[in-house]
Amino acid sequence: PDASWTSVEAAMRSTDPYRFAEVPWVPRKLDQWLDLAHDAVHRSGGVASRLYDILEDELNAVTWWEAHVPVVIVFACAELAAYEPLATMQLVLEFGRDTDSDLQLAGAFFGALHGTAVFPAEMRGVVEARLEIDYGATVGDWMRLLGHERR
């Protein structure tokens, strides 16, 4: 209940069941990715367009859904947006590469930290209405399908 973006990152860095961090001269990739995200934000001077240029130049993405890419993009955008969920999501959208993968990751973190309150009720209402219009289903229907009752 007292989790924060900082505690999420700390948990990611400290979770190392195979003890890869103990291997000499071979840094963990996850640590390198998170360090790159922080460094890119620092070098951007807080300017989104500069951050995007840095990410574009340094991610070395062959495909934009490679494991390291969404991690770096989401963590960099979150830091640049001072960990505000909707501002982070806007920055991710504006970067515009593999937005569905990137936003799924951002949504998972922000959803875990803030629950459905991350989206104002009016925004949730629009999504729920479109879900019913476009697919003939409600959020409650989907929750039941997944084995969860909507509370």
Side-chain angles (χ1 to χ4, degrees), residues 9-137:
E9 181 177 338
M12 290 172 67
R13 286 182 184 269
S14 67
T15 302
D16 187 11
Y18 297 110
R19 299 175 22 205
F20 289 127
E22 296 175 17
V23 177
W25 306 291
V26 183
R28 281 179 70 202
K29 288 294 186 183
L30 177 63
D31 292 330
Q32 290 177 316
W33 302 340
L34 295 171
D35 292 344
L36 172 58
H38 292 302
D39 183 60
V41 172
H42 175 74
R43 287 183 290 132
S44 76
V47 177
S49 61
R50 285 188 202 143
L51 176 63
Y52 298 155
D53 288 342
I54 293 166
L55 295 175
E56 185 81 44
D57 291 343
E58 297 181 20
L59 280 173
N60 299 317
V62 175
T63 57
W64 287 94
W65 59 86
E66 295 168 67
H68 71 288
V69 175
V71 170
V72 175
I73 291 170
V74 168
F75 275 78
C77 288
E79 183 177 343
L80 189 68
Y83 306 101
E84 290 293 328
L86 296 180
T88 298
M89 290 182 216
Q90 184 65 41
L91 288 172
V92 170
L93 279 171
E94 289 176 7
F95 183 58
R97 298 302 174 264
D98 187 29
T99 56
D100 61 326
S101 296
D102 301 338
L103 287 171
Q104 287 177 48
L105 184 60
F109 286 126
F110 285 121
L113 291 170
H114 303 284
T116 58
V118 74
F119 295 107
E122 142 184 322
M123 288 176 81
R124 291 192 312 267
V126 170
V127 170
E128 289 179 6
R130 289 306 319 176
L131 179 64
E132 191 160 4
I133 292 166
D134 292 346
Y135 299 101

